[in-house]
Structure formats: structure tokens, C-alpha cells
Amino acid sequence: MTASPACPTCTTDPQRLFRPGPPAARPQVNSPEDAAALVVPLLEGRDREHCLLVTLDAKHRLLGVDTVSVGSVDHTFMAPREIFRDALAAGASALFLAHNHPSGDPAPSLDDRQVTRRLAQAGVTLGVDLLDHLVVGDPDWVSLARLGVL
Ligand SMILES: [Zn+2]
């Protein structure tokens, strides 16, 4: 896939890092690797945890990448109401979540696993599929879906 570069107007809207453009021009995000290609460059070198939301249309084409929250060195907030507020506002049908571990160790915490399950359940209710949650360390990242959490 080809990732869209950050658009020129992003300087006035720092929370929204990509703009969807016409449907045919939206890159497809079909795998954890596709999502990682979008979020890893945005999370690299951060000294606090950031939670990013990758919103997708019904055909899993990119709508946007939004910052949900910025936390501390070992914690960030992944509240369903904030995540799904942004997802619904973007008109998303599916989403990927990602957050970084500044320690570099991508092993998901117990809290990461529990939050992910709760978010997936909320997504079922709202009709927005949580496709995966990536934990981004350095240099590796992990997919909670591939770990069987989703
Ligand atoms: Zn974590």
C-alpha cells in the first residue's frame, strides 16, 4: 500500500494526521503490517505513551489517523468513549488501535489485553469493528489479534 503523506493543512489540525481524499485514492489497510507502516513512524522516539486510532471505511480504506490520548511513560488512556467518539465522527466502519511502549518492550500488559477486549465488545455494539490493537516497542511491535486477544 502507499501511505498518504501528512497533508498541508495538518498544521492547523494536529490531531488529524491524514485526510481521506476520494475513495479510490485511499490506501487499503488490510493487515497489522499495513497499520504498523502508518503508526510506527508516528510513535517512534516518543518518551510518553501515545494512543493512535486508525479509522477505516467499509472497504478498510484509510480515513485518518487520530491521536486519542497522550499519557505518561508507562500508561495511556484508552477510554471507549473517546475512541468511539472519534471513530464515529470519522464515519469509520472499522479501526485499528495502536499505542507505544517507551521502554521498547512491546509485550502487552494485562491492562492492554483487558482494554482491548472491552473495546472490541463496544465495537460490536456500535457496528465498528476493532480489527487489531498494536503495541509498538522499539524495534518490534506486536499484534494483539495475532496473540489471540481479539
Ligand atoms: Zn501498553
Side-chain angles (χ1 to χ4, degrees), residues 16 51-56 63 66-69 77-97 114-133 150:
R16 171 57 61 84
C51 179
L52 300 182
L53 171 67
V54 178
T55 47
L56 306 177
L63 292 173
D66 295 86
T67 302
V68 173
S69 62
F77 301 97
M78 293 180 278
R81 59 184 293 161
E82 267 85 51
I83 290 166
F84 286 102
R85 179 191 64 186
D86 290 348
L88 293 171
S93 296
L95 54 87
F96 279 86
L97 270 182
Q114 289 172 340
V115 164
T116 301
R117 288 196 195 95
R118 279 177 50 218
L119 290 167
Q121 287 166 0
V124 169
T125 302
L126 293 170
V128 182
D129 291 335
L130 175 60
L131 299 177
D132 204 342
H133 182 175
L150 285 175

Side-chain angles (χ1 to χ4, degrees), residues 1 4 15 20 28 35 37 39 43-45 47 67 69 80 96 111 120 125 127 136 143-144 147 150:
M1 58 163 271
S4 308
Q15 296 297 103
Q28 205 84 46
V39 300
L43 294 172
E44 265 176 352
D47 62 1
T67 302
S69 62
F96 279 86
D111 194 47
T125 302
V136 177
S143 150
L144 285 173
L147 290 179
L150 285 175

Side-chain angles (χ1 to χ4, degrees), residues 49 78 99-101 108-109 112 135:
E49 290 197 11
M78 293 180 278
H99 75 283
N100 61 313
H101 282 175
S109 65
D112 289 340
V135 181

